[in-house]
Amino acid sequence: MLTVDFSRFPLAPGDRVLDLGCGAGRHAFECYRRGAQVVALDQNAEEIREVAKWFAAMKEAGEAPAGATATAMEGDALALPFPDESFDVVIISEVMEHIPDDKGVLAEMVRVLRPGGRIAVTVPRYGPEKVCWALSDAYHEVEGGHIRIYKADELVAKVREAGLKPYGSHHAHALHSPYWWLKCAFGVDNDKALPVRAYHKLLVWDIMKKPLATRVAEQALNPLMGKSFVVYATKPHLPRVTETQTGTSGAAAK
């Protein structure tokens, strides 16, 4: 289940991609299938081991085209172990709501992104997330849980303040909002409640079968109750600095 829409966020074979806070690796796997040179990074060692196993299995099964590469590694989003301008593309999906220093994370992403590169940021949407918080303290008051709820204009403003140029946004996963409302209402750790189990089966069926009816329904409902908010942006090219602007002439430099 992808939150980033690759029709709005084009990826070319050979692009250097960082999936920051990759979790189980869903976006990293899609980028690998599309021929990118992928680095999946997360602070969770167990998840990184699983992502590495899936990368190896995909390579063995021939799911990635020639030239594509994939690496899974542990790392800190606030101190990325990469030189400046290392990547053409950075994806950070459902991560920033967990991190106290979200501006620091954005600054690190901008640092490792090349000028002209693209970034995709996804977070839980304000309205559906507020419902979850109202229904259950356990949903967010846990170690590593959600510490903030973004309004759309707040996230876009932070992306701009980081030096990026937003070029598009949308909502995603409307059919998942009711599932999380049910989870919060019956207990976030209670998977045995009949409404939760029934709705989970519906979601699994939808993900596996992708029937036209639910695809159309979700597309129609996304603007109203999409679970995630997605922002796409580019890193502008810096203006060329001339000798006149720097106050340095050829004669003065001698």
Side-chain angles (χ1 to χ4, degrees):
M1 183 187 72
L2 300 174
T3 307
V4 172
D5 181 351
F6 286 93
S7 69
R8 311 183 197 213
F9 190 67
L11 194 68
D15 275 352
R16 300 163 297 169
V17 177
L18 172 63
D19 185 2
L20 180 55
C22 64
R26 56 200 172 107
H27 288 105
F29 300 149
E30 181 64 20
C31 293
Y32 190 31
R33 290 188 187 98
R34 290 171 178 261
Q37 299 175 9
V38 184
V39 175
L41 183 143
D42 201 286
Q43 66 177 2
N44 187 311
E46 184 176 343
E47 286 197 309
I48 284 299
R49 284 193 291 271
E50 286 301 310
V51 170
K53 289 178 183 177
W54 278 105
F55 278 152
M58 290 172 67
K59 182 177 181 180
E60 181 69 21
E63 289 189 37
T69 61
T71 303
M73 61 185 295
E74 289 182 65
D76 182 354
L78 290 165
L80 295 174
F82 310 112
D84 296 356
E85 303 178 9
S86 297
F87 296 96
D88 304 298
V89 172
V90 177
I91 296 171
I92 184 166
S93 183
E94 312 299 302
V95 173
M96 286 179 54
E97 67 275 9
H98 297 273
I99 301 176
D101 186 8
D102 57 347
K103 290 185 178 180
V105 173
L106 278 167
E108 271 294 86
M109 290 190 288
V110 172
R111 179 184 68 80
V112 302
L113 185 66
R114 68 164 176 82
R118 303 173 305 287
I119 188 168
V121 181
T122 93
V123 298
R125 184 184 187 172
Y126 182 83
E129 187 76 348
K130 286 286 282 187
V131 174
C132 289
W133 282 44
L135 289 171
S136 171
D137 290 336
Y139 172 79
H140 63 97
E141 291 182 357
V142 295
E143 184 178 355
H146 299 185
I147 62 171
R148 72 173 65 82
I149 306 176
Y150 289 98
K151 291 185 177 179
D153 56 357
E154 175 192 1
L155 180 61
V156 172
K158 287 190 175 185
V159 168
R160 283 201 178 98
E161 289 168 7
L164 297 165
K165 185 177 180 181
Y167 68 83
S169 65
H170 63 89
H171 300 98
H173 310 318
L175 296 182
H176 288 251
S177 290
Y179 172 72
W180 283 103
W181 297 338
L182 288 169
K183 288 271 288 182
C184 290
F186 287 92
V188 290
D189 296 320
N190 180 12
D191 293 326
K192 295 182 179 180
L194 180 58
V196 174
R197 287 191 290 115
Y199 203 95
H200 183 262
K201 286 183 179 179
L202 171 66
L203 290 179
V204 171
W205 172 78
D206 177 58
I207 291 169
M208 298 300 294
K209 300 296 185 181
K210 297 181 175 64
L212 179 60
T214 56
R215 296 300 88 215
V216 171
E218 183 159 75
Q219 191 170 24
L221 290 170
N222 275 337
L224 300 173
M225 51 186 279
K227 183 72 170 67
S228 295
F229 177 61
V230 188
V231 178
Y232 304 109
T234 58
K235 180 177 177 178
H237 290 275
L238 293 175
R240 188 183 300 275
V241 178
T242 66
E243 290 183 347
T244 302
Q245 288 172 316
T246 60
T248 304
S249 67
K254 292 181 180 179

